[in-house]
């Protein structure tokens, strides 16, 4: 997992050309970007959506196998809880169709706030529960960049 500010994306240039392309997309996007799917290159796409954050995410933690998630809110802020999947219990088995498995945790988790230029990168081992409100539910505009894993 990576948690950082978009002003430092040059640090990640050597990590992966695809992750870097996704970070550049986030740095150049603003809160006026239209909702929808943006194909950045053949291995990277961005999904822009608007929704209301929640006090509880009924789906629990998620993790992916085919794609790395880069998440950043462009309007508003949200909390994301995270924990390595080896410390959680699988509640819903992995689905190829949705590229997701869902988990629950009975231990303390780490939380971060995304928005105001801060982003998070979640790898397959990083269970994450997004869409959580800071103080009370509010509408946010968020981008999730999906970076295809090397196979």
């Amino acid at each position: 997992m990576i948690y950082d500010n978009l002003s430092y994306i040059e640090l990640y240039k050597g990590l992966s050309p695809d992750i870097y392309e996704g970070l550049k997309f986030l740095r150049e996007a603003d809160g006026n970007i239209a909702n929808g799917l943006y194909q950045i290159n053949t291995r990277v796409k961005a999904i822009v959506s608007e929704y209301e954050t929640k006090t509880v995410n009924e789906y629990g933690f998620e993790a992916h196998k085919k794609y790395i998630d880069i998440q950043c809110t462009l309007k508003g802020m949200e909390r994301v809880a995270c924990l390595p999947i080896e410390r959680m219990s699988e509640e819903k088995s992995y689905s190829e169709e949705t590229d997701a498995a869902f988990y629950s945790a009975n231990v303390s988790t780490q939380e971060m706030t995304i928005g105001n230029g801060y982003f998070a990168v979640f790898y397959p081992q990083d269970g994450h529960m997004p869409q959580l409100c800071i103080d009370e539910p509010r509408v946010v505009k968020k981008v999730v960049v999906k970076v295809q894993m090397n196979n």
Side-chain angles (χ1 to χ4, degrees):
M1 180 186 70
I2 297 169
Y3 178 64
D4 207 345
N5 191 285
L6 290 169
S7 60
Y8 300 114
I9 69 168
E10 296 305 317
L11 295 172
Y12 304 103
K13 195 172 190 174
L15 179 65
S16 156
D18 289 330
I19 289 175
Y20 182 66
E21 286 300 312
L23 291 171
K24 285 194 319 188
F25 179 89
L26 289 173
R27 184 178 61 190
E28 294 163 12
D30 67 23
N32 296 318
I33 189 172
N35 292 343
L37 178 66
Y38 295 80
Q39 197 69 46
I40 298 169
N41 67 31
T42 58
R43 299 174 44 80
V44 183
K45 61 186 174 187
I47 303 163
V48 179
S49 61
E50 249 176 301
Y51 55 84
E52 188 170 284
T53 57
K54 310 168 184 182
T55 53
V56 175
N57 186 330
E58 63 277 2
Y59 295 107
F61 291 84
E62 62 186 65
H64 313 286
K65 291 183 181 180
K66 293 182 192 172
Y67 290 92
I68 295 166
D69 268 9
I70 307 173
Q71 299 191 11
C72 184
T73 55
L74 300 178
K75 275 188 184 174
M77 297 174 64
E78 76 176 46
R79 269 183 317 118
V80 181
C82 55
L83 192 67
I85 60 173
E86 73 243 14
R87 299 195 56 209
M88 294 190 280
S89 301
E90 187 175 84
E91 298 294 326
K92 187 174 177 190
S93 297
Y94 177 77
S95 162
E96 285 277 337
E97 184 179 325
T98 62
D99 184 40
F102 292 91
Y103 301 83
S104 63
N106 293 323
V107 297
S108 295
T109 63
Q110 294 184 339
E111 291 188 354
M112 63 190 72
T113 301
I114 59 173
N116 281 345
Y118 282 87
F119 68 93
V121 180
F122 298 105
Y123 291 88
Q125 71 272 17
D126 301 323
H128 51 286
M129 184 186 332
Q131 300 185 2
L132 300 173
C133 65
I134 304 293
D135 297 317
E136 60 186 39
R138 295 195 170 134
V139 174
V140 298
K141 181 171 272 193
K142 181 176 181 180
V143 180
V144 177
V145 175
K146 298 288 208 176
V147 178
Q148 188 175 345
M149 292 288 297
N150 292 330
N151 292 336

